[in-house]
C-alpha cells in the first residue's frame, strides 16, 4: 500500500527540464528587523529573493516573526534577523568593509535554519556607489542588495551545504558592483542543488516523512 502511494507521488512529480511547473515544497521565512525598513526597501528585498530563488523551485511565503501564528504547518522554514539600520537616509561617500554581510548559523556541523543579515554593514559597504543612484531608485537598489545577501544564506540553508560557487549569488564574497548590478543570479550548479533539495523535501512532505 505504501509502495503504491509512493509511486503515485513520484508519478505526480514532473521531470526537470520539462515544461510542467516544478512541484514546490511550501517554505516560510519568518523575518525580524532590528529597525523597520521603508516599505520600498522591504518590497525590493522580497522581489529579489523571490526572483533569485524561483529557478531553484523555491516559493517563499513571508511572515513577520513577531506576528501571531495562524497554526499553519510548513515543511520548510527559516528565521531571518536583519541587523542595524535598513534605510538609505544619511548616506555618506565613504566605503567601509564591514566583514561578513550575512551569515547562517551552524552547530556541530549541522546547518541551522537561522540567518542574520547585516543591513547596516551592507549599507556602509555600498553607500558610496548608492549615492550615485538617482534618489528615487535608491531604496529599491539597496533592498535588492539586501535580497542578494539573503538569497545566498537561503542557499546554504535549503541546499544544506557550506559550499560556495565560483560565480553568481553562490560565491563566497560579493563586490559592490555585484550587489548593485541590474542582474545577479545563481549559477546553474547552485540552482540545481536547490532544485534537488527542494524536490526531496517535496517528496518527503507529500509522502508523510518529516
Ligand atoms: Zn556563504
Amino acid at each position: 500500500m505504501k509502495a503504491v502511494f509512493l509511486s503515485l507521488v513520484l508519478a505526480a512529480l514532473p521531470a526537470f527540464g520539462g515544461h510542467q511547473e516544478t512541484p514546490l515544497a511550501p517554505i516560510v521565512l519568518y523575518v525580524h528587523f532590528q529597525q523597520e525598513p521603508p516599505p520600498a526597501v522591504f518590497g525590493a528585498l522580497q522581489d529579489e529573493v523571490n526572483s533569485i530563488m524561483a529557478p531553484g523551485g523555491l516559493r517563499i511565503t513571508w511572515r513577520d516573526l513577531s506576528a501571531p501564528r495562524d497554526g499553519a504547518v510548513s515543511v520548510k522554514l527559516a528565521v531571518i534577523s536583519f541587523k542595524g539600520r535598513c534605510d538609505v537616509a544619511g548616506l555618506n561617500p565613504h566605503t567601509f568593509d564591514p566583514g561578513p554581510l550575512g551569515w547562517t548559523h551552524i552547530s556541530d556541523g549541522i546547518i541551522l535554519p537561522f540567518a542574520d543579515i547585516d543591513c547596516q554593514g551592507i549599507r556602509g559597504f555600498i553607500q558610496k556607489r548608492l549615492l550615485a543612484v538617482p534618489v528615487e531608485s535608491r531604496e529599491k537598489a539597496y533592498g535588492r542588495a539586501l535580497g542578494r545577501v539573503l538569497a545566498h544564506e537561503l542557499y546554504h540553508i535549503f541546499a544544506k551545504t557550506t559550499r560556495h560557487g565560483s560565480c553568481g549569488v553562490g560565491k563566497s564574497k560579493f563586490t559592490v558592483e555585484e550587489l548593485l548590478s541590474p542582474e545577479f543570479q545563481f549559477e546553474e550548479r547552485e540552482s540545481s542543488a536547490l532544485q534537488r533539495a527542494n524536490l526531496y523535501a517535496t517528496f518527503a512532505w507529500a509522502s508523510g516523512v518529516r
Side-chain angles (χ1 to χ4, degrees):
M1 192 60 201
K2 181 148 193 176
V4 172
F5 177 62
L6 290 179
S7 65
L8 283 174
V9 171
L10 280 171
L13 300 177
F16 290 137
H19 294 294
Q20 287 172 282
E21 208 169 298
T22 305
L24 301 169
I27 289 175
V28 178
L29 292 189
Y30 290 96
V31 299
H32 168 71
F33 285 89
Q34 236 171 28
Q35 291 187 30
E36 209 55 37
V41 169
F42 189 39
L45 184 166
Q46 290 175 298
D47 288 348
E48 185 67 6
V49 171
N50 292 341
S51 155
I52 292 173
M53 302 312 275
L58 278 74
R59 181 192 56 192
I60 293 168
T61 299
W62 299 78
R63 299 234 172 98
D64 183 342
L65 184 62
S66 58
R69 304 286 184 279
D70 59 8
V73 177
S74 58
V75 65
K76 300 176 86 177
L77 58 84
V79 178
I80 315 298
S81 296
F82 293 88
K83 311 289 187 193
R85 290 182 75 154
C86 288
D87 65 0
V88 295
L91 300 176
N92 67 60
H94 304 295
T95 303
F96 79 100
D97 185 349
L101 303 176
W103 55 94
T104 295
H105 297 232
I106 298 179
S107 175
D108 291 334
I110 307 291
I111 296 168
L112 304 177
F114 295 92
D116 294 339
I117 307 299
D118 185 357
C119 281
Q120 188 141 345
I122 295 166
R123 201 186 115 103
F125 186 49
I126 64 175
Q127 64 180 353
K128 187 176 174 187
R129 289 287 299 278
L130 209 46
L131 281 171
V133 174
V135 70
E136 64 274 14
S137 307
R138 222 170 264 169
E139 288 183 327
K140 188 175 175 191
Y142 173 55
R144 201 170 55 189
L146 296 179
R148 290 170 181 179
V149 177
L150 174 53
H152 177 94
E153 302 309 326
L154 295 179
Y155 160 70
H156 286 309
I157 291 172
F158 292 119
K160 298 188 194 319
T161 180
T162 56
R163 289 179 58 164
H164 287 110
S166 51
C167 305
V169 178
K171 71 204 280 273
S172 60
K173 217 167 175 334
F174 293 168
T175 64
V176 172
E177 289 70 28
E178 286 164 343
L179 285 170
L180 289 174
S181 68
E183 185 75 18
F184 195 44
Q185 293 282 331
F186 281 116
E187 291 294 288
E188 183 65 35
R189 196 175 73 162
E190 284 74 45
S191 272
S192 297
L194 280 166
Q195 277 188 340
R196 279 195 302 277
N198 194 39
L199 183 64
Y200 176 80
T202 302
F203 171 73
W205 174 65
S207 59
V209 179
R210 297 287 188 266

